[in-house]
Amino acid sequence: MTRLRLILDPFLILLIGTVLLASFLPARGEGARVAEAAADAGIVLLFFLHGAKLSREAIWGGAKAWKLHLATLGTTFLVFPLLGLGAQMLPVIPEDMRAGLLFLTLLPSTVQSSIAFTAIARGNVAAAVVSASFSNLLGILLTPLLVAMLMQRGGSGGMISLSSAEGIVGQLLLPFIAGHLLRPWIGGFVERHKTLLSRVDRTSILLVVYSAFSAAVVEGLWQKVSEEELAILALLCALLLALVLLFTWGLGRLIGLSREDAIVLQFCGSKKSLASGVPIAGVLFPASAVGPIILPVMLFHQIQLIACALLARHYAERSSGE
């Protein structure tokens, strides 16, 4: 039942519904400006809550179990980007979707699902909390820097513009720091209302998705992308995930991790965060470019949920057998 619930995530259904709504009823004119302003406010709130939820212990805990955490971070921010650069050489999908595939590989790991899958697989849950949280914390800085270094815009170097830098600081970094500094006073409220705040998180993401896809649809997104190209993109996302799952499986054995820690490396190292990726894309890229950029992220998110749910159940059954 847990596996089915993770695969059939109601949030994914809402995401698909939001994309359909933007496809048939995109925001235009004044409506587009209102949607964009609401999305910007949602991004600020989202990262404020991320800061409030992350405990000081989790941050300092990132310095412990260094072998596991370095392996996870190396996979997330080094191996994945190298694979993303390799995917740029495959001219089977449009250029903006290839850019989205590269952007996907530059994102931090997920938190909630990485921990959930580790728990199902009977891995080291405490280490998963630290590793996934640490990845998300570093991703606020590392993802924009990797975008600046590796992504090309219009044939020129992918330097972050002044407005993008201001967005990173004003919409991501400062709200995160403010939320974390206020944690001693609001941490209790955040812990007591996790369900409500999770809905606020997801609503913020849906606002960004609607605003992004509205702008992309107005620019003719679905006229530029065929069903065949979407199918190829989904296949590339599945192949990317399979390669990283195999890599983390081998790396865990190579560096001598325990079974429980190797599970953490595999689940935290192979995941990419939709919750962080959508708002970061909204800050870094023009509104009309965000739709194609986050399309691979949304596809990968669904594929990783299905694949990792099946893998976690396999590990749990094998552990029971032993």
Side-chain angles (χ1 to χ4, degrees):
M1 181 63 70
T2 301
R3 177 175 59 184
L4 182 63
R5 186 167 62 249
L6 284 168
I7 294 175
L8 300 179
D9 186 352
F11 180 55
L12 289 171
I13 298 173
L14 287 174
L15 271 176
I16 295 170
T18 301
V19 171
L20 290 174
L21 178 63
S23 298
F24 290 102
L25 293 172
R28 300 174 184 270
E30 187 61 32
R33 286 187 285 274
V34 171
E36 187 175 353
D40 288 344
I43 291 171
V44 171
L45 180 60
L46 184 70
F47 278 84
F48 177 83
L49 292 175
H50 279 325
K53 286 188 288 188
L54 185 60
S55 69
R56 198 71 51 85
E57 291 77 16
I59 295 175
W60 293 123
K64 301 175 183 178
W66 60 270
K67 188 188 294 186
L68 168 61
H69 300 317
L70 280 180
T72 302
L73 292 173
T75 303
T76 301
F77 295 114
L78 180 60
V79 175
F80 251 120
L82 288 174
L83 291 173
L85 287 172
Q88 301 303 291
M89 302 176 187
L90 303 173
V92 291
I93 53 176
E95 184 178 350
D96 51 1
M97 290 173 67
R98 291 203 303 273
L101 199 59
L102 177 56
F103 176 71
L104 159 70
T105 66
L106 308 182
L107 295 176
S109 178
T110 63
V111 177
Q112 291 92 339
S113 59
S114 292
I115 296 167
F117 289 132
T118 299
I120 293 170
R122 302 183 183 179
N124 187 342
V125 176
V129 172
V130 173
S131 201
S133 300
F134 205 50
S135 174
N136 261 251
L137 175 63
L138 290 178
I140 296 175
L141 295 174
L142 285 183
T143 295
L145 288 175
L146 287 170
V147 168
M149 287 166 35
L150 301 179
M151 294 191 70
Q152 300 293 313
R153 300 184 187 175
S156 60
M159 296 303 293
I160 293 179
S161 65
L162 178 60
S163 61
S164 294
E166 290 173 348
I168 294 166
V169 174
Q171 291 180 258
L172 307 183
L173 191 57
L174 288 182
F176 182 90
I177 293 173
H180 187 66
L181 291 177
L182 290 173
R183 179 177 167 80
W185 294 276
I186 65 175
F189 177 84
V190 169
E191 293 297 325
R192 289 192 304 271
H193 297 86
K194 283 184 177 179
T195 302
L196 175 62
L197 295 179
S198 176
R199 290 172 182 166
V200 172
D201 274 3
R202 296 182 172 203
T203 300
S204 301
I205 294 170
L206 292 175
L207 281 171
V208 177
V209 169
Y210 177 73
S211 175
F213 270 88
S214 289
V217 168
V218 170
E219 293 290 324
L221 171 65
W222 299 125
Q223 284 73 42
K224 300 174 183 176
V225 179
S226 68
E227 294 178 0
E228 181 183 357
E229 288 167 340
L230 279 176
I232 292 172
L233 179 62
L235 182 61
L236 289 174
C237 287
L239 178 61
L240 181 65
L241 177 62
L243 288 173
V244 176
L245 284 172
L246 286 171
F247 174 81
T248 50
W249 178 82
L251 180 61
R253 282 150 183 76
L254 181 65
I255 62 178
L257 294 180
S258 66
R259 174 190 176 277
E260 291 76 12
D261 284 353
I263 287 172
V264 175
L265 171 59
Q266 192 159 45
F267 287 128
C268 292
S270 65
K271 309 293 275 307
K272 288 297 180 179
S273 175
L274 179 74
S276 296
V278 171
I280 289 174
V283 171
L284 293 180
F285 301 101
S288 60
V290 174
I293 288 288
I294 65 174
L295 189 58
V297 182
M298 295 172 65
L299 284 173
F300 188 87
H301 181 76
Q302 172 70 351
I303 293 167
Q304 74 182 8
L305 281 180
I306 296 171
C308 291
L310 295 172
L311 186 61
R313 182 56 55 193
H314 167 72
Y315 284 148
E317 290 171 352
R318 192 170 70 178
S319 177
S320 297
E322 292 172 356

